[in-house]
Amino acid sequence: MRKTRFAAVLATALAVGLTCLPAPATAAPAIEDSAPAAPVVEDLGPASEVTSISAAEFVGDRLYLGTGGIKPTRLGAYDPAQRKVTSVTELPTGDGTWAAAAVGTDLYVGTYTPGDIHKVDTRTGTATKVADVKPDNFIWCLDAAPDGKIYAGTYPRGRVVEYDPATGQTRDFGQAVAGEQYVRSIAVDDTTIYAGVGAKAHLIAIDRVTGAKREILPAELADRTFVGTLALEGGLLAAGLSATGDLMLMETADPSRHVLVDAPGDSYVTAIGIAAPNNDVYFGTRPSGTLYRYDRDTAKLDKLAVPYDGASFTRIFIGGGKVTGVLTSSIVEYDLATGELTGVDLTQAGMPPAPELAMAVTATRDQVLVSGKAGVQVHDVATGASTRTFVPGEAKAMTVVGKQVYLSIYTLAYVFGMRQDGSDLKRLTRVGEEQNRPLDAHYDRLLGRLLIGTQPEYGLHGGALALYDPRRDKMEAFRNVVQNQSIRSVTSMLGTAYVASEIAGGLGTTPVEKEAKLAAFDLLTKRVRWSVVPVPGATSISDLVAHRGKLYGIADTGVLFEFDPWRKQVTRTLQVPLSAARSGTLVETHGRVYGTDGKTIYRLDPSAMTISPVVEGLNAEAYGTQPLLAAAPDGRALYALRARNLVRVTL
C-alpha cells in the first residue's frame, strides 16, 4: 500500500527530528475558550482509605500494630487467638510510625513528622509523648536494650539517640557515619548498639558507655546501598542488604566470622526473625514477597511461602510452632509442622481504615482512581461508591490508555496494568537501570509508548527515561538523559519526548548539578537532541505539558514558563502560586490548561499569559511534594484534593 502524502511528510519529519519544519497549525479546541461559568465543587469523600501497617511488636500475647500514612497514628492490639483487633490507641503526634519496641508491659513507638518517642501503657491503653529526636523529624527504627533503655535511629541526620525510661533523659550519640542521612535499622545488646546505615551501606558498632564507633561491615559489602534490616539474638546479628537482597549473618563476638545468604532475584530483605533454639533464620524478601528459612547447621535455604505476589513483610516473629508475618494490611501464620499458611485481613479483623495521603490521581469516563500505600481507591463517578484494589507498592503515576490503566510503581520502578475498574491487576515489567522511584508518566499516542521518568536507587545519581511498548510488552530505559539528574516530568509532541529534570538523585545523595534542565529526546533515533536550562537558578521542574505546539512548565522558583521547542528558548514567563514544597502541577485538557499548587486551582490563558483562579482554599494534603490534579476525559471536570478528600470541580 502506498503511503499518503501526509504520512510520508510525517515520517520524514520524525526521521529528521522536526528540526527544519515550521510549527504545526493549532487544532481547534473541543470546548470553546470563552470565560467559564462559576465552577461547582462537590466533595466525594476520602480520596483513599487504607489500613497500612508499618510497625509491629508483641507485648505479652498481644501483637501491637502501628499505622503509617494516616493521622493520627493508631496502634491496634491484635489477639492471635481470636484473630481480632481488640482495641485501638491513638498517638498524640506523628504522621505515622516505622518502629516500636517493648519494655515489660510498656510499648515505645517512634513516629515521623515529627520524630517523637511515645510510651504506650498497654494495661490502660494510654499514650504519652516522652521524648523527641530534634532536629531530626523521622525515627526509622527502635530497639530496647536488656536494661530497658530505648535506642532510635533517625533521618535526615543519621543519628543514634538513647532514651532512658528510668530518668526520662535522652543521650545523643551523634551521626553514625559522617555524611550519611539514614540510620535505617538498629539492634542492641548489653554493651553495643548496632546501627545499619545508608544510602551508602555501613554497619556501625557503638559502645553504649563510651560512644566509640567502629565499622564492622565487611569491606567486600561496602558497595551496597543500605543495611536496611537488623535482628539480634544470642550473639547472632542478621542484616538485610540493599539493593542486592542478601542476608548477612555475623557473630558479634567476632565480626570477621560471617556468611552471606543470597535470595535469588530479590532486591530487599524487609524483615528477619531468628529462632535461636534450632539455629534457623527466617526472612522475607521483595519484590517476590517470599518467606525463606535458612538452616545454619546445613547451610540450606528453603522457600517456605509467598503470601501474595509482591508481599512486603514488616516484621517476622517466631513462637508457638509458627512463624508470624506482619504484612502491609494483613497477618499471616506459617505452621512449621504442617507447612500450612493462613492469614487474616486486618480491616476485617477490626483495624479501621482511615484517610491517607494520596499519591496520584487520574480519571476515566466512569471512574476516578486515587493511589496510596499498597493500593488504588477506585471511585465510581455515577454512584459515588468506592472500592480498593491491592497493589504491591505505591503507584506514583497512573496513565489511562484505552481500557487499561498503567501504574508506575515504587519501589523497584515496576509497571503494572489493570482495567479501569481496578480488576485484572498484572505485573508487566520493570524499568531496570538501577531505577527505583517513578516520578511522572505520559502516553505518546503517535508511537504508542508509555514514557516514564524515574529517580535512581538510594545513594545513586542518574535518573532515566523509560519507554514501554504495551503491544509488544517491551521496555527500553535510557539513563542519564539529563546527566546526574532525575526525570521529574515528561510529555511529548510529534515523535519527540520532552523531559524536565530535578537535580536530586536517589535519596541519601547530594546533588551534583546546580540547575534543572529541559531536554528533547528523539523517540525514533533514541538520542537526546538538545538540552537547555529554561529557568536559571531552578533546581526542579515539577511538571511539564504540551499545548498548541508549545511547552509549559513550572519551576521550583514559582516561574511558569512557555517554551518554544522550534526555537529552543523560553518565550514568556509568569509567576504562579507555589506550595510550600515548591512544586506545582499542570494539566492540559480540550484546549485548556489548568494548574494547582494544592491550595488553588487556576486556569492559564496562554494567549495573554495570565492566570485566573478557578477554586481557592483547597489546602490539599497529598503524599510528597506534588499537588494532585486530573481532568475528566471530556474536559468538563477536574479532580483534586481538599484536605484528604477527593473533590470534583465541574467547569
Side-chain angles (χ1 to χ4, degrees):
M1 181 183 295
R2 291 187 306 163
K3 292 183 179 179
T4 65
R5 182 173 182 273
F6 172 78
V9 170
L10 178 59
T12 302
L14 295 178
V16 299
L18 299 172
T19 57
C20 58
L21 295 181
T26 301
I31 296 176
E32 291 296 328
D33 215 17
S34 58
V40 176
V41 182
E42 302 170 79
D43 193 312
L44 304 181
S48 183
E49 289 190 292
V50 67
T51 300
S52 180
I53 304 303
S54 47
E57 186 65 79
F58 267 103
V59 178
D61 61 357
R62 291 291 191 274
L63 178 55
Y64 285 83
L65 308 167
T67 59
I70 67 171
K71 193 173 184 177
T73 303
R74 293 172 174 167
L75 286 176
Y78 174 77
D79 182 352
Q82 302 181 63
R83 293 197 166 193
K84 289 184 178 179
V85 173
T86 57
S87 66
V88 176
T89 300
E90 294 185 350
L91 299 188
T93 66
D95 285 340
T97 175
W98 281 102
V103 178
T105 59
D106 293 330
L107 184 70
Y108 291 88
V109 183
T111 61
Y112 55 86
T113 54
D116 291 340
I117 299 175
H118 299 80
K119 173 185 172 183
V120 179
D121 186 330
T122 62
R123 296 167 301 179
T124 64
T126 57
T128 307
K129 174 187 169 181
V130 294
D132 61 58
V133 295
K134 292 178 181 176
D136 287 338
N137 64 353
F138 209 113
I139 294 175
W140 266 116
C141 48
L142 283 181
D143 196 22
D147 61 6
K149 291 182 179 179
I150 301 296
Y151 293 85
T154 77
Y155 168 85
R157 290 169 177 82
R159 297 154 52 229
V160 172
V161 177
E162 173 192 272
Y163 170 70
D164 187 348
T167 64
Q169 300 299 308
T170 60
R171 177 186 176 186
D172 188 354
F173 285 84
Q175 195 168 34
V177 176
E180 295 301 330
Q181 299 179 8
Y182 294 85
V183 172
R184 195 70 175 262
S185 54
I186 202 162
V188 190
D189 61 19
D190 288 318
T191 63
T192 308
I193 309 160
Y194 299 94
V197 174
K200 293 182 177 61
H202 296 270
L203 180 56
I204 304 300
I206 305 174
D207 188 289
R208 291 180 59 196
V209 176
T210 67
K213 302 177 178 72
R214 58 192 174 99
E215 174 74 76
I216 61 172
L217 185 69
E220 64 269 22
L221 303 178
D223 61 343
R224 306 315 201 257
T225 57
F226 273 98
V227 177
T229 315
L230 287 175
L232 178 60
E233 187 72 37
L236 176 66
L237 183 66
L241 305 177
S242 304
T244 52
D246 300 320
L247 175 73
M248 183 187 69
L249 303 176
M250 173 183 286
E251 295 184 17
T252 58
D254 182 3
S256 67
R257 300 185 62 179
H258 60 270
V259 63
L260 204 62
V261 182
D262 177 50
D266 277 308
S267 298
Y268 304 112
V269 173
T270 60
I272 306 170
I274 300 174
N278 59 10
N279 224 18
D280 288 342
V281 179
Y282 298 84
F283 61 102
T285 61
R286 286 194 72 192
S288 70
T290 303
L291 175 65
Y292 285 100
R293 173 176 54 206
Y294 179 72
D295 187 326
R296 296 180 65 216
D297 295 325
T298 64
K300 183 183 178 184
L301 180 66
D302 291 317
K303 181 178 179 179
L304 301 182
V306 179
Y308 50 79
D309 182 37
S312 180
F313 288 85
T314 297
R315 289 290 304 274
I316 289 175
F317 303 95
I318 304 157
K322 296 180 179 180
V323 177
T324 299
V326 180
L327 306 175
T328 306
S329 56
S330 59
I331 291 177
V332 296
E333 292 181 343
Y334 180 84
D335 190 300
L336 292 171
T338 67
E340 182 183 8
L341 184 74
T342 58
V344 60
D345 177 89
L346 286 171
T347 301
Q348 296 177 354
M351 192 69 184
E356 66 170 330
L357 296 172
M359 299 184 183
V361 60
T362 194
T364 71
R365 186 188 68 178
D366 299 317
Q367 296 91 9
V368 183
L369 294 85
V370 184
S371 68
K373 287 184 177 293
V376 173
Q377 200 85 17
V378 182
H379 297 259
D380 187 292
V381 171
T383 67
S386 72
T387 57
R388 190 169 184 87
T389 294
F390 169 80
V391 175
E394 300 170 357
K396 299 300 188 183
M398 298 184 289
T399 313
V400 179
V401 181
K403 296 182 179 180
Q404 283 285 299
V405 180
Y406 293 99
L407 312 177
S408 301
I409 299 290
Y410 166 82
T411 58
L412 295 172
Y414 272 105
V415 177
F416 280 71
M418 69 181 187
R419 297 186 186 276
Q420 294 181 5
D421 63 1
S423 63
D424 197 24
L425 179 74
K426 295 179 180 178
R427 178 165 25 191
L428 300 175
T429 188
R430 184 178 174 185
V431 171
E433 290 292 327
E434 299 183 302
Q435 301 302 295
N436 188 34
R437 188 185 302 266
L439 299 177
D440 193 23
H442 169 79
Y443 185 67
D444 182 85
R445 298 188 182 279
L446 181 63
L447 297 180
R449 300 291 188 272
L450 179 67
L451 315 179
I452 307 169
T454 61
Q455 182 183 68
E457 178 65 63
Y458 289 81
L460 302 179
H461 291 284
L465 172 65
L467 314 180
Y468 176 63
D469 183 346
R471 290 169 294 186
R472 295 190 295 162
D473 190 29
K474 180 182 178 181
M475 173 67 78
E476 296 178 279
F478 300 88
R479 194 168 179 183
N480 278 315
V481 169
V482 178
Q483 193 71 25
N484 291 323
Q485 301 196 36
S486 300
I487 304 303
R488 174 72 259 185
S489 49
V490 57
T491 190
S492 67
M493 286 191 296
L494 297 175
T496 299
Y498 296 97
V499 300
S501 71
E502 64 180 18
I503 65 172
L507 298 187
T509 62
T510 300
V512 174
E513 306 296 332
K514 302 298 183 184
E515 294 178 305
K517 292 183 177 181
L518 175 65
F521 182 88
D522 191 305
L523 292 171
L524 290 182
T525 66
K526 311 294 176 60
R527 294 181 181 277
V528 177
R529 288 170 39 212
W530 50 257
S531 67
V532 299
V533 174
V535 181
T539 61
S540 174
I541 299 169
S542 61
D543 211 356
L544 189 69
V545 299
H547 175 70
R548 299 180 179 177
K550 301 289 180 63
L551 300 172
Y552 295 87
I554 296 181
D556 60 358
T557 56
V559 171
L560 188 155
F561 62 90
E562 178 188 77
F563 188 88
D564 185 336
W566 319 105
R567 291 186 284 171
K568 304 181 186 64
Q569 66 183 38
V570 172
T571 48
R572 293 182 296 175
T573 63
L574 170 70
Q575 200 74 25
V576 295
L578 208 61
S579 68
R582 299 195 305 160
S583 65
T585 296
L586 295 171
V587 298
E588 198 275 348
T589 175
H590 289 261
R592 293 178 178 171
V593 179
Y594 296 91
T596 185
D597 67 338
K599 295 182 179 180
T600 300
I601 297 175
Y602 53 84
R603 182 182 175 188
L604 171 68
D605 179 355
S607 60
M609 201 59 180
T610 59
I611 61 170
S612 56
V614 176
V615 177
E616 298 177 293
L618 291 177
N619 297 317
E621 298 177 13
Y623 185 89
T625 63
Q626 194 75 11
L628 303 186
L629 185 66
D634 62 8
R636 299 185 183 276
L638 300 173
Y639 294 93
L641 300 182
R642 181 161 56 196
R644 299 193 182 193
N645 280 11
L646 180 67
V647 295
R648 176 170 50 220
V649 181
T650 303
L651 301 170

